[in-house]
Amino acid sequence: MSDPAAVLADLRAESEEVDELVRGLTAEQWALPTPAPRWTVAHQIAHLAWTDAAALLAATDPEGFAAETEKALAAPDRFVDDGADEGAAQPPAVLLARWREGRERLHRVLAEAPPGTRFPWYGPAMSAGSLATARLMETWAHGQDVADALGVVRQPTARLRHVAWIGLRARDYAYFVRGLTPPAEPFRVELTAPSGELWTYGPEDAAQKITGPALDFCLLVTQRAHRDDTALTAVGADAEEWLGIAQAFAGPAGDGRAPKGAA
């Protein structure tokens, strides 16, 4: 999953899909609320532009990125929202142009990175392929928020394999960020891809096992769906616990989504 060329091609395709969702919106539609508390469609795109800019800074100016990381640590509850608020205040055309330019610059930098290069990030340092995977995960997740706000049902694609992969890689992080000790043994995860293909991870004989649709798994690990609203099945107490706390993104533990129909 870390081949930069393949991941970057999928990142471009994912970005274009989200771009298509917003490029013809009216000012009123840009202001529509999304499932994220207090965030509008504009906030979602502003956040993508902001995190692309952070990734570009990490790839081109590690010292400058370290300074931004200090700001995040000093205000963990406001840092992300402040960046989204600033971008959402821009005229939609300006914001959209900013996102397009930033993601294209980042694409070029990551494509040109020498093999073996690692870039700082809010968690562990990442290769070009891994950083592109993280950007694809964010783009897909925030694109889902935009689609939900607009009442659009997106067709899942094979690009979900990147989201699933980073969600699996972040298993232990979900425990650490909550002050918990991760399980020592690996899990078996079997996900049904949109094509019907089976994506498998971990040893076949693992005592802890998760099965179900890849889309549901990706919605869960990006905290775009509540556990109760998925068709995922867990075998084992540890597997069940992880599905209740999973998160594919860096930063503080998220609150996740309430179950559908909850008051």
Side-chain angles (χ1 to χ4, degrees):
M1 289 302 170
S2 59
D3 174 24
V7 183
L8 284 168
D10 282 348
L11 173 58
R12 187 185 294 279
E14 194 66 42
S15 299
E16 283 296 323
E17 181 175 301
V18 178
D19 194 302
E20 187 173 348
L21 285 175
V22 300
R23 66 183 59 167
L25 296 184
T26 64
E28 290 76 15
Q29 288 173 311
W30 278 93
L32 286 172
T34 66
R38 208 180 57 78
W39 277 26
T40 65
V41 169
H43 280 84
Q44 299 290 346
I45 300 304
H47 178 71
L48 290 178
W50 181 77
T51 44
D52 280 346
L56 183 63
L57 186 66
T60 58
D61 182 5
E63 291 185 1
F65 179 76
E68 286 299 304
T69 302
E70 291 299 321
K71 294 179 184 178
L73 293 173
D77 296 332
R78 303 193 320 271
F79 190 65
V80 172
D81 282 339
D82 287 349
D85 285 342
E86 182 180 353
Q90 295 179 313
V94 173
L95 173 58
L96 187 53
R98 174 186 156 208
W99 178 44
R100 289 169 173 168
E101 179 183 358
R103 74 189 196 225
E104 187 59 36
R105 290 179 61 195
L106 177 62
H107 188 286
R108 290 197 300 269
V109 168
L110 294 181
E112 295 169 0
T117 302
R118 298 189 69 80
F119 304 108
W121 196 235
Y122 295 106
M126 291 188 176
S127 66
S130 293
L131 189 54
T133 302
R135 298 308 311 129
L136 192 154
M137 179 271 295
E138 284 252 7
T139 302
W140 179 82
H142 290 282
Q144 185 62 44
D145 291 337
V146 172
D148 287 345
L150 298 174
V152 174
V153 177
R154 298 193 297 173
Q155 293 302 311
T157 73
R159 297 192 296 271
L160 287 178
R161 70 187 187 276
H162 302 296
V163 183
W165 178 83
I166 204 168
L168 288 161
R169 292 280 299 217
R171 187 200 74 168
D172 289 0
Y173 178 80
Y175 285 85
F176 289 136
V177 78
R178 290 167 174 79
L180 303 173
T181 301
E185 69 274 13
F187 292 0
R188 174 70 171 181
V189 178
E190 299 179 355
L191 303 176
T192 304
S195 66
E197 176 188 1
L198 192 65
W199 297 339
T200 60
Y201 313 86
E204 292 186 22
D205 60 350
Q208 306 295 319
K209 184 176 180 179
I210 292 166
T211 61
L215 174 61
D216 286 15
F217 182 79
C218 292
L219 288 169
L220 185 74
V221 298
T222 57
Q223 297 190 354
R224 265 57 189 180
H226 189 273
R227 167 80 174 89
D228 293 347
D229 295 322
T230 71
L232 298 171
T233 299
V235 175
D238 289 342
E240 186 65 51
E241 179 185 40
W242 179 46
L243 290 184
I245 64 172
Q247 68 177 68
F249 50 87
D255 294 330
R257 295 281 162 80
K260 291 180 179 177

